[in-house]
Amino acid sequence: MDKVDKEYPIHITQERTINRITLKETILDALSAFNLERGLLYTVKLLFSRPGHLIRSYLNEGRFQIFNVFRLLFLTTALSITLIYVSDFSEFLGGIEEGWNNYEYDEQASQKINDLQKVFFEWYNLLLWIAIPIYALFSFIFNRKSGYNYAEHMVMQSFYVSGMNIGYVVVLLLGLVITGTPGLSLTLLLFLVYYFWMLSSWLKDRRLVFVIKNILAFLLANIVYGIFMTVILVIIAFIAQ
């Protein structure tokens, strides 16, 4: 026994048994994610019914019941990207594509638009996830008295982006089976309402002062995010040439 072992002895009090993986255990593990009292389905249910309670539970003693927020983020992002590729995303964008067609673009301008779309789709997850630390920073700065730190605001923003991804999935699916689905403007408005509902229910504050300062925080975050997006898109487009 060396010096480290003598100073910091390890006492084994229980023997761990590792069972062989069986088909039954694999199926049960997969189904556990859809448990109504914990796991993926439970998390999604709270995400759209009690988002504030969901975040507080995840940050405290209820975490074992909640699906990991970053796994949820990866899963929902992958799902939304898949549907974007298999659906006609231009219809989801409402009148943008139609607006483009109303102008007389030359071939060079049209090619630039196509290149921008290609870059956006290929780097969608990166462009989406960059928003999380930026919006978390401003929500943290403008709500310092709430007692939550920056990392906890990152958790809140990750839940919000996951909710947005699920919302996009629903809209895209509706666009595949139903004509005349809501366009981009209505969808973004619903996401905006959802954002402030999640934030106010999490921090338990519905005062007018709270709403005004967080609208300001949201606008500033949008400006910073827009600058980051522009710079990154230009860099990516330059590298791709």
Side-chain angles (χ1 to χ4, degrees), residues 43-57:
T43 301
V44 172
K45 181 181 73 172
L46 289 182
L47 191 61
F48 293 102
S49 61
R50 302 175 64 192
H53 172 74
L54 170 67
I55 299 169
R56 289 192 300 273
S57 295

Side-chain angles (χ1 to χ4, degrees), residues 76-93 121 124 164-178 181-182 187 191:
T76 56
T77 301
L79 183 59
S80 62
I81 290 175
T82 301
L83 280 177
I84 284 174
Y85 274 102
V86 301
S87 64
D88 186 358
F89 193 66
S90 62
E91 290 186 6
F92 169 69
L93 292 177
F121 290 137
Y124 174 79
M164 276 207 320
N165 283 332
I166 296 173
Y168 279 130
V169 167
V170 172
V171 173
L172 289 169
L173 287 174
L174 288 175
L176 291 175
V177 298
I178 303 175
T181 54
T187 304
F191 287 157

Side-chain angles (χ1 to χ4, degrees), residues 69-190:
V69 63
F70 299 110
R71 291 181 185 176
L72 181 65
L73 178 63
F74 297 151
L75 178 63
T76 56
T77 301
L79 183 59
S80 62
I81 290 175
T82 301
L83 280 177
I84 284 174
Y85 274 102
V86 301
S87 64
D88 186 358
F89 193 66
S90 62
E91 290 186 6
F92 169 69
L93 292 177
I96 293 180
E97 185 71 24
E98 182 180 350
W100 286 343
N101 295 331
N102 291 333
Y103 294 92
E104 294 295 332
Y105 285 110
D106 57 27
E107 290 186 4
Q108 185 177 4
S110 179
Q111 184 60 42
K112 288 182 179 179
I113 292 173
N114 291 333
D115 291 342
L116 183 61
Q117 284 182 302
K118 184 178 179 181
V119 169
F120 176 80
F121 290 137
E122 290 181 349
W123 297 87
Y124 174 79
N125 57 337
L126 176 63
L127 298 175
L128 184 67
W129 294 342
I130 286 174
I132 293 174
I134 294 175
Y135 284 82
L137 176 62
F138 282 91
S139 65
F140 166 65
I141 291 174
F142 279 75
N143 297 284
R144 290 190 303 274
K145 294 182 179 180
S146 66
Y148 292 103
N149 60 36
Y150 176 61
E152 290 166 330
H153 280 268
M154 286 270 288
V155 168
M156 177 267 169
Q157 298 293 339
S158 298
F159 273 122
Y160 171 68
V161 172
S162 298
M164 276 207 320
N165 283 332
I166 296 173
Y168 279 130
V169 167
V170 172
V171 173
L172 289 169
L173 287 174
L174 288 175
L176 291 175
V177 298
I178 303 175
T179 58
T181 54
L184 181 63
S185 299
L186 178 57
T187 304
L188 292 178
L189 178 60
L190 292 175

Side-chain angles (χ1 to χ4, degrees), residues 23 31 41-42 73 101 115 118 136 179 186 201 212 224 231 240:
L23 179 60
L31 292 177
L41 188 59
Y42 176 71
L73 178 63
N101 295 331
D115 291 342
K118 184 178 179 181
T179 58
L186 178 57
S201 61
I212 292 174
V224 174
V231 172

